[in-house]
Amino acid sequence: YIMFTIKNLKKMKILGFESCKLNDYHVKIITEGIKDNKNILALMLRNNDITSQGGFYLAEYLNSNTSLRQLFLGGNNLREKGLKTLLTTMSTTNKNITNLDLSNNNFTLDDFNILIEYLKTNPILNVLDISGNTFDLKSSINVGATLCSVRNVKSINMSKMGIISDFIPNIFKSFNLEELILDDNILEGVGLLMLGKGLTANKFLKKISLKNTQFSSIGLASLLGILKNTKDFKELHLENNTIEDMAVDAIKQTLANKKFKIFVSKDMINQELFKDDALGKESNIVMV
């Protein structure tokens, strides 16, 4: 019934089956149903029960249909041979995917290495989400060494990955990044110092999200100093952290010379620090 229905939706551009308890057999049915539909630009299959066999079916679909641009597979268990087959297809016969979500797929070191080989060959990928796949030390080193040489990825989500502070500069050195999401990693004392060091040469950055990262005031002050020199920076997200007096002073000095939005949680700070005596009537502080 599903195959019959979607075969006849010729003008459909986005197809989503998210949190539907789909298994690999369902993926086979869906991909067979849409293999001749050249209008679908986004396929959203997050939070299902798709495994490596589903990866084979998706690879077969992409091998025969090159119109798809966005593929969302977060929250599944797509790994090993299925992941390799899918990414090999996306690096050889179908290089048209610009937005790829592989978050929360329980990646191992071997899975990260498969992803690395894909990134080395893909010329068009702009947005990559690998959040929720926990790093070990070797994975972080390998991914970092690859990403620092990738020029096409503009947005990357690395939330909840157990980011290791010392490895941050290796990722973002000379990286043409516009959006960076590092939420729910424990950056603490040196994390933002390392991040600032890695972003020193970045001239394209527009957004950084550091929600719930337990950074230090010194680290935030250092990062703000780097952001003063960015050309088109627009958003810094600091929700669910503690902001101390020193950091507020750094925010005030930064916004006096550089206008961009800083997002903070209403309940995470001493509200007195953000009244007129601290930041005047600065409208660029956004309480969420």
Side-chain angles (χ1 to χ4, degrees):
Y1 177 77
I2 291 175
M3 187 188 299
F4 175 79
T5 301
I6 60 182
K7 272 185 175 180
N8 291 281
L9 296 175
K10 300 301 183 182
K11 295 184 178 181
M12 177 173 56
K13 296 185 180 298
I14 300 173
L15 178 61
F17 290 96
E18 300 196 335
S19 302
C20 290
K21 298 182 179 180
L22 299 185
N23 59 31
D24 296 329
Y25 179 66
H26 296 135
V27 172
K28 180 180 181 180
I29 293 173
I30 291 168
T31 52
E32 286 181 356
I34 63 175
K35 65 181 180 181
D36 296 322
N37 190 326
K38 307 300 182 182
N39 292 313
I40 297 176
L41 302 178
L43 180 58
M44 308 173 75
L45 299 173
R46 287 180 289 212
N47 301 317
N48 287 295
D49 299 316
I50 302 170
T51 69
S52 287
Q53 186 60 48
F56 288 115
Y57 295 138
L58 286 166
E60 290 177 356
Y61 162 62
L62 292 178
N63 196 42
S64 62
N65 189 323
T66 59
S67 62
L68 196 73
R69 294 294 182 269
Q70 302 182 39
L71 181 58
F72 300 89
L73 295 170
N76 286 286
N77 195 26
L78 182 65
R79 296 174 45 202
E80 300 168 347
K81 293 182 180 179
L83 176 67
K84 183 175 183 178
T85 302
L86 176 61
L87 294 185
T88 298
T89 298
M90 290 166 54
S91 63
T92 54
T93 58
N94 187 333
K95 292 188 176 184
N96 295 319
I97 300 297
T98 60
N99 189 330
L100 178 62
D101 176 5
L102 293 173
S103 61
N104 298 296
N105 271 273
N106 302 307
F107 278 5
T108 63
L109 173 60
D110 289 341
D111 298 320
F112 278 116
N113 288 338
I114 292 169
L115 175 64
I116 286 168
E117 293 306 310
Y118 165 67
L119 292 174
K120 288 179 179 178
T121 61
N122 184 276
I124 194 172
L125 186 70
N126 296 140
V127 180
L128 176 63
D129 186 347
I130 53 174
S131 62
N133 294 300
T134 306
F135 272 147
D136 57 24
L137 179 58
K138 190 168 184 179
S139 296
S140 69
I141 293 172
N142 292 350
V143 173
T146 301
L147 284 177
C148 71
S149 62
V150 170
R151 294 291 179 266
N152 46 295
V153 175
K154 305 301 181 186
S155 172
I156 186 166
N157 187 339
M158 303 181 75
S159 302
K160 297 182 181 179
M161 294 189 68
I163 293 292
I164 301 168
S165 295
D166 291 342
F167 127 93
I168 289 176
N170 291 328
I171 280 192
F172 305 113
K173 183 179 180 181
S174 302
F175 192 21
N176 294 343
L177 201 63
E178 295 181 6
E179 180 181 62
L180 168 62
I181 303 173
L182 289 175
D183 301 340
D184 300 301
N185 290 293
I186 309 303
L187 301 182
E188 294 183 326
V190 297
L192 294 200
L193 294 172
M194 294 294 100
L195 178 58
K197 182 179 179 182
L199 292 174
T200 301
N202 185 294
K203 299 179 181 179
F204 307 98
L205 200 64
K206 292 180 173 61
K207 175 182 176 180
I208 296 179
S209 185
L210 299 169
K211 300 173 186 176
N212 190 33
T213 51
Q214 301 181 30
F215 54 72
S216 69
S217 293
I218 293 175
L220 179 58
S222 174
L223 178 62
L224 288 168
I226 299 299
L227 296 180
K228 286 181 182 178
N229 300 318
T230 56
K231 183 179 179 182
D232 297 312
F233 191 76
K234 298 185 183 304
E235 294 184 14
L236 176 61
H237 288 259
L238 303 177
E239 296 97 314
N240 301 322
N241 288 288
T242 299
I243 297 184
E244 300 172 348
D245 295 29
M246 174 185 172
V248 173
D249 290 339
I251 291 173
K252 180 180 179 181
Q253 293 172 14
T254 300
L255 293 181
N257 300 294
K258 186 78 174 181
K259 299 300 181 184
F260 56 82
K261 299 289 186 183
I262 295 181
F263 293 77
V264 298
S265 301
K266 292 180 179 179
D267 59 349
M268 79 183 197
I269 56 172
N270 178 354
Q271 298 296 310
E272 294 298 322
L273 297 178
F274 280 80
K275 288 189 175 180
D276 290 352
D277 57 341
L279 288 168
K281 296 182 179 179
E282 182 53 67
S283 61
N284 285 359
I285 299 293
V286 181
M287 297 281 188
V288 295

